[in-house]
Amino acid sequence: GNAIKILAYPNPVISTVTISGIQAGDVLVVTNNEGKVIRSVNVNANTYELPMQQLGSGVYNIAVLRNQQRVGNTTVVKQ
């Protein structure tokens, strides 16, 4: 498909991860390694700062939805 390139930095992350490669109107869906949705956010710019300091350490998946279609995906490691 028309997958877009999503960047997440810093990775590994301690407190806040910045997501870029997205656009206003996208939805970010953050899931843990068990597939449980941790957070779902509507984006209103082409970057988003996702606070992760409250989350336990581990691997998290960030999917990008645009018009209900999954267009991108990345994983981040929370320390």
Side-chain angles (χ1 to χ4, degrees):
N2 301 333
I4 57 175
K5 179 76 177 151
I6 307 301
L7 296 176
Y9 52 90
N11 189 7
V13 56
I14 295 169
S15 59
T16 301
V17 64
T18 300
I19 312 294
S20 65
I22 56 179
Q23 67 185 37
D26 289 353
V27 177
L28 300 181
V29 180
V30 183
T31 52
N32 65 13
N33 58 4
E34 296 164 355
K36 179 177 173 222
V37 175
I38 304 295
R39 191 168 294 148
S40 176
V41 286
N42 294 295
V43 175
N44 57 13
N46 56 6
T47 63
Y48 184 80
E49 292 190 357
L50 181 71
M52 296 187 73
Q53 61 266 39
Q54 311 288 355
L55 301 178
S57 48
V59 178
Y60 292 85
N61 186 72
I62 301 171
V64 180
L65 305 181
R66 185 172 295 165
N67 303 320
Q68 284 85 46
Q69 300 288 321
R70 185 181 182 117
V71 293
N73 200 64
T74 191
T75 55
V76 294
V77 175
K78 168 66 167 64
Q79 293 194 319

